[in-house]
Every structure is written in C-alpha cells, then in structure tokens.
Amino acid sequence: MKLGFTPAEEEFRAECAEWLNTQMAGEFADIRGITTLTEKAERRKEWEQHLGAHGWGCIGWPKEWGGRDATLAQQVIFAEEYARAGVPGRVNHIGIELAGPTLLALGTDEQKRRFLPDIASGKTIFCQGFSEPNAGSDLASVRTKARLENGEWIVDGQKIWTSLAHISDWIFVVTRSEEGSKGPKGLTFLMMELDQPGIEIRPIRQINGDAEFNETFFDGARCPADSLIGAVGDGWRVAMTLLSFERGVSTLGQQMAFRNELDAIIAASKENGAAKDPLIRQRIAKAEIGLRLMRYGALRMLSNTDHASVDGAALTYKIQWASWRRSLGELAMEVLGQAGEVTDHDGYEWPMLPNLFLYSRADTIYGGTNQIQRNLIAERGLGLPREPRGDA
Amino acid sequence: MDFVFTDEQRMIAETAQTFFAENATSERTRAAMATDGIDHALWQAFCQELGLSGIGIPEAAGGAGLGLVELAIIAEAAGAQVAALPMLGSLALVAQAIAAGGSEAQRSEWLPALLSGETIAAHVEADDLVAEGDSLTGSSAFVAHGSAAGLLLVSGAGGSWLVRADAPGVSITAQTTMDQTRPFARVELAGAEGEPLADPHAAAKAATEAGLVTLAADGLGLAQAALDRTVAYARDRVQFGRAIGSFQAYKHRLADMMVEIEQARSAVYWAACAVDEGSEEAALALHAAKSFCADTAFRCAGDMIQLHGGIGFTWEHDAHLFFKRARALQTLLGKNDWHREQIAAMVLGETA
C-alpha cells in the first residue's frame, strides 16, 4: 500500500501543471475559472480542440486513437492538475469519458476509425440520451422508438435531461427497437447526428437560472443502419457498459473543483468573521475531512484492479460526493449569511457559492438519486433482498 | 500511487481476521469483562504464537518492523470482534513510546516483556502532574486497562516517565466502566519514582500516531462488524411475510452505514500511509481518521441496536458491547470535536 507518487510521476505532474498554467495565463485566460457548464461554450469548444492538438485530449486512450497510453497514476495526476489550474470542465466529457470508452470496448473497427480520432481532437462533441420524461430513475422504461426502414433507423420520441445537447454534435440514444418489449429487453443503442430536421432541442431553465439540460425531441429523425453499438436488442447491456465507465478518473478532477469551492468558503469565512464561530469551524473541518476521504476513496477504487469483487468504495461513491456537495452548498450559505441571497448581476446569475448552493440540489438526483443509490448499495453491495417491483 | 494492500498485507489481514474470529468469541470476551477486562490467554496467544505483537516497532528495537498500515490491519481485525485486549495501551501507546523515545537500556529492559505479553503496560495522561526531579505526584481516573498493568507510562508536565505499578507511592483502583472490554482504573501517584524517557518528544509523537491509528482502525473493524451482523439478521428475520432486509426503511439505513464505513476505511489507511511515508498530511490525516472513525463506529453500533429491535437492547446480545466500545472511542485520545477543531485551525491557516 503506497500513496505517494514516484519521482517520474511527480515530474509528469510538473509538466502537466506547467502546460496548463501557461495556457490559462495566455491564449485561454478568458475561460479560466469558469465553473458553470454553459458559459462561453464556443470558446470552450476551441479549448477542446487545443487540448486535442497538443495531445492532452484523452490521455488514457491508446495512442492509435489519439491518446497517450497514460498510466492510471498519470491520468490521476492530469485530472488533478487540470482542475487545480482553474481550467473549466470539459464540454465534451460525455464523449471522452463515456462514448469513447464504450466505442473502444464494443465498437467495430470502422466505428472506432470514424469517431475516436474526432472525439480525441475535440471536433465531435457528444451528449447522452438516456432519461425520458416521467421515467425518473427507472432507466429501462424507454419509450423512444426506433425502426429499421430502407437501410436507416427512424427514431420517434423524446429524451430529457440531455446535458449540453444544445452545444453538441452527436447524441447516443437508447431506443426501443422491438415493438411491445418491456424493461431492459428489446432496446438498441444508436448514435445520431444532432443537426438534422427530425431533432429539436429545447433548453430547460433550472433552479439557478442556467440552462445546461435540455429536452430533445425526435420526430422521424434518421441515422444509417450501422449506427448502432452492439447488436439490435442489446442496448441495455451497452448502456450498462457505458455507465460503468462513469466511475473513472474524472472523479478526481471533480474533487479538485470541489477543493476550489471549499477554499472559496474558507476564504469567505475568514473575510467576514464566520471563521470565528465554533459551529462553522466544525462544519468546515467536516467538509475538509469529507473531501480528503473522497480523494482517498477514489484512489482506493482506482488502485483496486480486482474487478471481480464487489468494490464497496465504487458503489458508495456517488451518494458520498453528492451528499457532501449538497452540504457544502448549505455551508456556503451559512457562511455568507444574507449577503449570499443577493447578487449584483442584472439577470438571475449567481456567483460561485450561491450557485453551488442551488445547483447542488441536482447532485443528489441525477445519475441515480440518493434513494436509488441506497437500493443499489443494499442489494448489490450487501446482498439484501430486492425491492418488490411492479410490472412495467 | 497504489492504494491497495500488498500480498503480504493481505496475508496479515487474513491471519489476524481468522485468529480473532476463532478465538475472541463473545463467550470469552464476556468472561474477561467479568474480571479485569483482558482475555489473558488470548493476549498470550496473540503475542507469542501469532507473532504480530511487534508490528509497528522497528526491528532494531526488537519489533517485527513493518508500519502503521500493518498495525491498523491488526487493530481492525481485533475491533471486529470487540476483543478484550490491552492492544491500545500496551502496544500502541507504551511500546511505541519506548521504542521511539526510550534509552537503549529502557528498550532492552521493557520491549521484550511488552511484546511477549509478559508485562502489560498502560498509559497515564496526568493533567495535574507535578515532577520534582523524577518524583511524580498526580493522578488520572481514566487509565485504560490500568488494573492489569505492571508498567505505567506517565505523561504530563512536559515529560514522560516509566513507573512500575508496584512502586511505592503508586495506587491503582479499578473503576466500574461502561465499556467493560477496556475498563478504566484510577491511578494516583504520591511521590512515585519515575524513570524519565530519553526523548519524551519522540515518544509522545510515536505514541500519538500509533494510538490514533489503532483507535481509528478499532472503530472501523467495529463498524464493519456491526453492519455485517445486522445484514445477516436482516436476511434471516422475517416479518410481515418478508425478510426485513427487503424493506426500504431498513435497507437504506444499512446502505448509509456502508457509505460511512467505506469512508472510514479510506481514513484509516490514508492516515497510516501518511505516517509511514512521512507525508506532510500526516497530522491532518490522524485527526480526520480518529474523529471520523469514532463517529462511524458509534453510529453503526447505535444502528445495530435499533435495527435488531428489542433483542438488540438486551445484555444477552452482543450489540451493547459494540455500542459501549464505540462510546469509549469517542473520548479516548481526545474528543472528536477537539480533533476537528485542530483541523479547522490548520485549514484556516491559524497554525504555525
């Protein structure tokens, strides 16, 4: 058991930090420190391409597909330094962390050739079409239909909560391709180009005034017959494979962004005197402990190559960070007091900490609510009997 | 970066888990609770047959070498059985202090006796200690396993001294203690002769590090065992025509226990590694691990009682052993709020 990094890895860390800081101090200074997902989207697409052009697009991928064959430790280091340097989140994170790895695992050679280099170079931005209206966390209750007609898939239906669809180029969609099938059976996983007449995207305004999520409507939308990953009717397995990539290295980058948020709270508490309050001090300490334990939980999860065993850290990670961050938002408002409830902006736009307070209410909902997570932990992690399920 | 057990560590864990599961049975622990809180036969077997008592003590000082990660592995396994053993006082606090801060003579006199289990040692933190030369006067009412100790390590007034329990001026009175697996004794010193440790600073540092890791790991083992036993009960116990573990109100609470425990596991091994690797994070990690694990242990032990219903409230069931041990973890070596206050001072940049 070893937590420290080797001298060679520390050298790589210095290289990452230097390159990232140079970019953020120079050509891309205008996007440094952005914390929402939608701000300056066009500039951030340029940033994606800049990353790709310098070989930093997706360093964990194989070299032949635009990656660097980076070791796990190197990926951890890059993710941490990326966030530490105040570089805004990747607008193509779905492409890099979900679509790409799914194609690497299950795509045909032709599909890999067609998509992977463009994702790596930042030219193709992906979003995901899983959730549907009224389905909530019941991911398998897909109603969006797909039928094969004259060598094309024709798709009708609606997806919701499609993050960043309005700035994306492609979407992967879980569709019901077998008439009358139920639940996880009869589903097919399709990749579709968004810029076409049969697709309409409507942003949804959120609790914080921002609109990063969308409703996406499919009305006779089309894609070629070979746009599927896996086999016809095999979409559930593909979707589950894809979701298994979600516990990757990016969690560490996410934590460094959390670090920035907690640091902002600490700074605010020192400035307005809240740091003298013993109760606030306890909450700051608890937040600090929780953040550190997330980091070491993630490292434990990543170090564990025994995938056959049920990895408790991985199962509990989502609820852990989501609950932690929601508490952090509440702590931020407690530190700011009423000053946190007003903003200088003309529009309903919030600075980092009040925005954190509002946005973090989504954290315990998307990607599986805390309640769904508890069921998963209890059933998969602890082997308890399944919750009785009604007929779909 | 490789935050996972090595093969050797996995082997130590399996050995220790098997040893304590087989030997530190509820029956034996209860028998020990009725006396001085120590299962002496188990302690002898642990020290002499298993050969793990010297872990965390350098080989040069007569120990088995290795580090706090391995010490944590053992403490976790013992904690899972709520074993009635003087591991905290004898090995983590006193043996570590002597190994790190004792003179050559003190090490060769005391370490073999402590590591073989022949002598049991206890740590006396005396806030009111007055030292006139090496003549010590002061007291502490909360000396874990003090009644069984042949050797006392007395700390206070800026120094540390070894005091024989049978020396003139030493009186030790057993206390009726809520946690009978780690009973306190009142120790009073009235001009008792102490032998000063050569380097009290190094001694205190080593003892604190090993002590906090041991307590955190003890709490981790305890919490995991509370969860495991409650899960087993949840699968077997049928009410309203279903295993109670199928009810959301029940299973969600078990899931919450697991979420806490997984963090506690990261905390213990982070702290142990940070000390072993000499990381600058070590102090913060130790405060974090102790406070987080003690809270986790208390919550899980409390939930264990609640989720067992009436049987969990009885003397017959083991849940109360877990609950009382967990309560003691809250206060040993500093309350959790105190540890968090240390962290707050660090992150707010108030410490030098």
Side-chain angles (χ1 to χ4, degrees), chain A residues 142-159:
Chain A
V142 171
R143 287 189 293 183
T144 295
K145 285 181 183 157
R147 61 179 198 279
L148 256 182
E149 213 175 271
N150 303 325
E152 275 187 321
W153 289 100
I154 316 287
V155 178
D156 292 289
Q158 185 189 346
K159 295 287 175 181

Side-chain angles (χ1 to χ4, degrees), chain A residues 86-358:
Chain A
V87 191
R90 305 287 295 270
V91 292
N92 198 22
H93 82 100
I94 300 280
I96 299 151
E97 287 150 27
L98 301 181
T102 305
L103 282 159
L104 279 167
L106 303 172
T108 63
D109 284 347
E110 198 194 323
Q111 287 171 335
K112 288 179 194 170
R113 272 194 296 275
R114 181 167 164 211
F115 287 105
L116 293 178
D118 283 353
I119 295 174
S121 67
K123 285 184 195 125
T124 299
I125 311 282
F126 259 93
C127 64
Q128 73 171 0
F130 273 9
S131 299
E132 297 197 359
N134 302 317
S137 294
D138 188 0
L139 212 54
S141 68
V142 171
R143 287 189 293 183
T144 295
K145 285 181 183 157
R147 61 179 198 279
L148 256 182
E149 213 175 271
N150 303 325
E152 275 187 321
W153 289 100
I154 316 287
V155 178
D156 292 289
Q158 185 189 346
K159 295 287 175 181
I160 195 165
W161 318 124
T162 37
S163 305
L164 302 185
H166 55 309
I167 61 164
S168 297
D169 308 302
W170 283 75
I171 185 168
F172 52 78
V173 193
V174 181
T175 63
R176 192 158 295 286
S177 56
E178 190 186 310
E179 191 83 36
S181 64
K182 280 185 178 173
K185 290 180 183 141
L187 301 177
T188 295
F189 189 101
L190 296 175
M191 291 186 294
M192 305 185 75
E193 202 157 5
L194 279 165
D195 185 15
Q196 58 165 299
I199 296 181
E200 191 195 337
I201 296 163
R202 292 185 204 152
I204 301 169
R205 198 172 188 220
Q206 301 152 197
I207 192 170
N208 60 345
D210 192 13
E212 114 193 19
F213 298 114
N214 299 273
E215 292 177 287
T216 305
F217 297 87
F218 300 85
D219 182 10
R222 287 157 194 275
C223 61
D226 62 357
S227 302
L228 78 172
I229 300 186
V232 175
D234 199 22
W236 183 251
R237 187 178 66 93
V238 179
M240 288 303 110
T241 303
L242 177 140
L243 287 178
S244 73
F245 296 121
E246 222 164 5
R247 56 144 128 159
V249 173
S250 61
T251 55
L252 281 151
Q254 177 195 32
Q255 285 170 35
M256 205 54 78
F258 296 167
R259 168 85 266 166
N260 295 339
E261 291 168 350
L262 176 53
D263 283 346
I265 292 171
I266 289 169
S269 75
K270 285 161 78 171
E271 198 177 307
N272 73 7
K276 295 194 187 83
D277 178 343
L279 296 177
I280 293 287
R281 295 171 73 84
Q282 285 291 313
R283 288 171 72 169
I284 286 174
K286 283 184 179 176
E288 181 74 31
I289 293 168
L291 180 64
R292 304 284 184 134
L293 297 188
M294 273 189 259
R295 177 166 195 262
Y296 293 105
L299 292 181
R300 210 152 58 79
M301 194 159 90
L302 290 167
S303 299
N304 187 359
T305 50
D306 180 13
H307 295 302
S309 70
V310 174
D311 187 348
L315 267 175
T316 57
Y317 187 73
K318 165 74 203 321
I319 196 170
Q320 185 187 335
W321 76 254
S323 304
W324 177 88
R325 191 157 183 255
R326 198 169 76 181
S327 300
L328 191 73
E330 290 166 7
L331 173 58
M333 292 304 281
E334 203 59 32
V335 164
L336 295 175
Q338 283 182 312
E341 297 169 33
V342 292
T343 174
D344 295 339
H345 287 285
D346 292 335
Y348 200 81
E349 262 176 60
W350 294 94
M352 182 207 249
L353 294 181
N355 187 62
L356 160 69
F357 168 68
L358 293 171

Side-chain angles (χ1 to χ4, degrees), chain B residues 295-327:
Chain B
D295 277 348
T296 300
F298 185 73
R299 176 184 180 170
C300 291
D303 281 355
M304 182 187 192
I305 293 178
Q306 177 67 25
L307 294 174
H308 276 78
I311 184 73
F313 182 72
T314 64
W315 192 271
E316 176 195 339
H317 198 275
D318 281 348
H320 73 104
L321 308 188
F322 285 72
F323 185 71
K324 292 164 183 172
R325 170 81 78 96
R327 166 60 220 173

Side-chain angles (χ1 to χ4, degrees), chain A residues 2-3 281-282 296 374, chain B residues 2 256 277 281 341 350:
Chain A
K2 182 106 184 89
L3 275 175
R281 295 171 73 84
Q282 285 291 313
Y296 293 105
R374 288 190 180 97
Chain B
D2 201 10
D256 284 339
E277 294 174 24
E281 283 186 347
E341 171 54 34
E350 297 164 353

